[in-house]
Amino acid sequence: MDELSQHLKCLKLCGGEAEDEKQILQSLSGVLLALDEDIQSSSKLLIECDILPALAKILAANPTCTEKAANVLAELAKNEETRKPCIDAGLVMVLAPLLARSDEELLLQAGRAIGRICYDNSDIQEHLIKLDVITSLVRILIDYPENDPLVRVCLLALSNLADLDSAKEALSKTSITRQLVKQLKRAENHERVEIIIEVLQMLAENDALKLQLVDASVQETLCEIIQRLQDSFQPEDMCTMKSSSDLIVSLLLGDESMQTLFDNGNGIVYKNIVFWLTSRHTLLQMTGALTIANFARNDSNCVRMVQLGVVHQLLDLLEQHVENGDAAVQHAALSALRNLAIPVMNKVQMLKEGVADRIQMLLRSEMPPVQFKLLGTLRMLTDGQADTAMILGQNSMMLTRLVQWCETKDHVGVRGEANRLLASLLRYSKSQDVVKAVHRARGLKHLVSMTTSEHAIMQNEALVALAIASAINLELVEEDFKESELVCILHRILEDESVGPEVKYNSLGLLCSLLDSDVLRRDMELVNMKQTLEKMCAHSNSNVVKQANTVLQILTSSSTHSGHFFA
């Protein structure tokens, strides 16, 4: 430590413009040696001796010694405790202009020093961006693309800065995406690939940069990386495949970049989907399913993908995971199928291709996330489709499972989707056979319960479905309605001032369809429904008033009527 003290003393005495540069270089070398031998004790002594202002002066005034002084700071900043003193001494302001130089070794040491001093310090990183460090980093990648140590320093600096919005904004005005894609293509080791992809992932959070990445054909390089590693199960290779896959999915989150990548089914990402879906790696299967789900964000893409046969590729994947399969893969594949089923023409085509039958294999699943997505997909396939609703609504195994899920207490989402699908089967089939099948499966009581949901959309779906069932076969369903106290529930809904007009209107419609039942009319008398209806005739909503008047007239009439409501 005595020798180090001497070197520090020398550096503090030197530092003027006319000082002996040879002595400065010798002392800086001594400091580097001491830091290498014992960084903790040596760095502590450097701070105590207040050497940082002297180093700042050397950096600014002694060109011959600049590189070695920057090297000292780079080594010193390995110790986290020295970083704040370096910032306080104004060293970042002195180091930043050095990145505009052309000496590669100086650029390396200055870059290392800045990167370490500013690590995990957003305030000073923002300051660096104001000093236009971004331009210097991009220039270095352009001018010295094959200097691997220098490129690594730039990549590490970018990985520290690129998470900042201001950095992304500055980078969007440079050629950074093309430079990084070039580096990704030439990267040969795992660490380099991972650093580059980490930076690209941060850049992909910005819509402008996302498009620039696609324009720079990063997707082609990522697909090549995945293809090269797809038969490997080595941890490093798996890690690279995952980060590459995640970046591809991130690129798909922007509407414009997604559409560019799709290219009417001709883009390289879409062409790789079939290989990913049939891969032995679940992470690639997941990537394939998520890619389809993201491409399926508009109707034209959905129609095109169904034409290209992607539906059965997804179903083949789902079949692999039915028994003790990967829940995340099933979830992603079902999300893709659900999106594909949104366009009306796709619903028809998917029904023709037997999707409704094949997808029912997943009814055996005991995993709530899969059950939830399965129910949502089936409901989307059923939406507005009488044929699908007829097929599913008469499937006893399907209805038995639906009723089980309507009763589940472990997953509220599954329970809600099961009820909504049950309502859809009645609503869109408008079928005597489906009403009978739902009755046999003991499903009507769950729809009665659904009318009390806290969600108005679910209340309305249940009310309409029950009205249809009663209009089709009131004699069959009246006992279930009596046991479930449907009339009492409708009475409470109509009396509740917080309930919206649409729910009240549909409640009145259902009530109207029950009037041909003597049993249910007696229940209406018990709750004094006539008085409630008279109040409804003064409601602020004209449709509610009209419906209330209709029901009231029929209720007070001595004659019987049928078919009063059908939606």
Side-chain angles (χ1 to χ4, degrees), residues 9-58:
K9 185 177 180 181
C10 175
L11 290 172
K12 290 182 73 174
L13 291 172
C14 298
E17 293 183 14
E19 300 302 335
D20 185 354
E21 290 181 344
K22 184 176 180 182
Q23 182 59 56
I24 294 174
L25 288 170
Q26 184 179 342
S27 292
L28 289 171
S29 296
V31 173
L32 282 170
L33 184 62
L35 287 168
D36 184 55
E37 290 176 351
D38 187 350
I39 189 169
Q40 292 297 329
S41 300
S42 299
S43 58
K44 183 178 180 182
L45 184 58
L46 262 70
I47 300 302
E48 289 175 351
C49 289
D50 197 26
I51 197 63
L52 298 180
L55 290 175
K57 191 179 288 187
I58 292 168

Side-chain angles (χ1 to χ4, degrees), residues 312 345-356 388:
H312 287 286
M345 66 183 299
N346 274 7
K347 295 184 207 298
V348 176
Q349 185 60 34
M350 289 166 78
L351 178 62
K352 286 180 182 176
E353 294 183 17
V355 171
T388 307

Side-chain angles (χ1 to χ4, degrees), residues 54-65:
L55 290 175
K57 191 179 288 187
I58 292 168
L59 283 170
N62 296 81
T64 308
C65 306

Side-chain angles (χ1 to χ4, degrees), residues 52-53 81-92 117 121 124:
L52 298 180
E81 294 176 3
T82 66
R83 292 170 189 166
K84 188 177 185 304
C86 286
I87 293 169
D88 294 340
L91 285 163
V92 175
I117 291 170
N121 186 324
I124 198 68

Side-chain angles (χ1 to χ4, degrees), residues 73 121 329 541:
L73 288 170
N121 186 324
V329 171
N541 183 279

